[in-house]
Amino acid sequence: MVTKPPVVTVDAVDGGRWTSLQLAGREWLWDGPGLITGPRTGLAAFVDAGGLDECFPTVRGTPDHGALWNQPWNGSVEYDGTVLTRAFTPGTDTLTVDYHLEAPPGYRFVWAAHALLDCAAGAVISAPPETECRLYPEAAAQLPSAWPNAAPWITAAWPTPLNLSVYGDSDGTAAGAILVDCPTVSIHDRGAELTMTLSCPGQPVSTALWRNQGGFPVDAPYRSLGVEPMLGRVFDLAEAGPDDAAVVPSSGELAWRLTLSARPA
């Protein structure tokens, strides 16, 4: 078998969004629901364009999906007195992405590689059994017991009562969750496997999930599967406890590495 080098395509004008990720001979990123044509530069409300968005300094909350998706990148991007830079290094069926953040010491944030994957029904997400998983309120109607009043999330052991390990058929549901302190997740789809690993010593490293089986948005639902390596343990920075967000050290610099590797079908 001839091994092809990985290919990542980035739209620098549209928030630095990854529009394509080809590893082990196949495309891994979903090209979106077709809600918008052209870049989202200057928009105030997030529009799902598919691919992979860099969410910073929050995922949910304000600003929704962070503050980077609606501004262009030029090798790096600036926001709120910070500068975020990334560099791609291809290997053999592997892509390494190195991030470097310059920010005031003590700056708190959540970051996620908001990857929407091109997977078919039946795809399986593998994570260590019994990993703590935070489930969010959109899943309330799918749970066997009532949602606690005013709780921002509840915890359950992976794969949770929803069996989030399987991307199922369209059933009108959607659920967001975070695998707490889980740096590595694998996705098995149509015989191929993609593994995503995030490393940032001394910082909270987790994996966020978004399983939309035709349940979102309510007025015009579509299907999407998000597997999102993240720094932090919550979607919304405003809900982060003392240990739930990444914190820039006294040097004013923080670096982290995302590694994606794949095996062909």
Side-chain angles (χ1 to χ4, degrees):
M1 177 181 294
V2 177
T3 301
K4 295 182 179 180
V7 177
V8 59
T9 304
V10 171
D11 188 337
V13 177
D14 189 32
R17 180 172 64 95
W18 308 20
T19 58
S20 176
L21 174 63
Q22 297 178 37
L23 278 175
R26 63 157 282 179
E27 176 61 58
W28 285 99
L29 293 181
W30 176 63
D31 62 5
L35 301 178
I36 191 170
T37 300
R40 298 163 293 173
T41 305
L43 295 184
F46 179 76
V47 177
D48 187 358
L52 186 154
D53 280 305
E54 307 279 358
C55 293
F56 170 90
T58 189
V59 181
R60 297 185 182 182
T62 304
D64 184 25
H65 284 74
L68 306 185
W69 59 266
N70 59 358
Q71 59 177 302
W73 285 55
N74 183 20
S76 62
V77 64
E78 299 182 17
Y79 172 74
D80 191 29
T82 72
V83 179
L84 178 63
T85 304
R86 76 183 169 203
F88 297 94
T89 304
T92 302
D93 291 335
T94 300
L95 181 71
T96 300
V97 193
D98 287 300
Y99 292 85
H100 181 262
L101 177 68
E102 298 177 49
Y107 186 89
R108 286 167 53 86
F109 68 94
V110 172
W111 166 87
H114 185 270
L116 297 173
L117 301 181
D118 180 17
C119 291
V124 174
I125 301 165
S126 296
E130 301 300 309
T131 295
E132 178 184 334
C133 190
R134 292 179 173 178
L135 290 171
Y136 280 74
E138 61 269 12
Q142 306 168 53
L143 296 170
S145 57
W147 191 268
N149 288 337
W153 63 77
I154 63 171
T155 60
W158 176 259
T160 82
L162 304 183
N163 191 16
L164 287 175
S165 64
V166 178
Y167 183 44
D169 296 323
S170 297
D171 60 4
T173 66
I178 293 176
L179 284 155
V180 176
D181 298 335
C182 179
T184 300
V185 165
S186 294
I187 303 93
H188 308 264
D189 176 61
R190 290 167 284 185
E193 179 185 80
L194 175 69
T195 298
M196 312 169 83
T197 299
L198 183 62
S199 176
C200 188
Q203 302 290 337
V205 175
S206 303
T207 302
L209 302 175
W210 171 246
R211 189 182 71 177
N212 177 16
Q213 298 175 166
F216 177 87
V218 174
D219 55 344
Y222 52 86
R223 291 176 57 85
S224 55
L225 176 65
V227 182
E228 310 165 23
M230 72 184 305
L231 293 181
R233 298 187 176 104
V234 293
F235 280 121
D236 188 346
L237 179 61
E239 296 175 346
D243 299 322
D244 287 337
V247 181
V248 176
S250 58
S251 64
E253 299 182 59
L254 184 64
W256 60 95
R257 171 172 286 182
L258 173 62
T259 303
L260 303 106
S261 59
R263 294 191 299 178

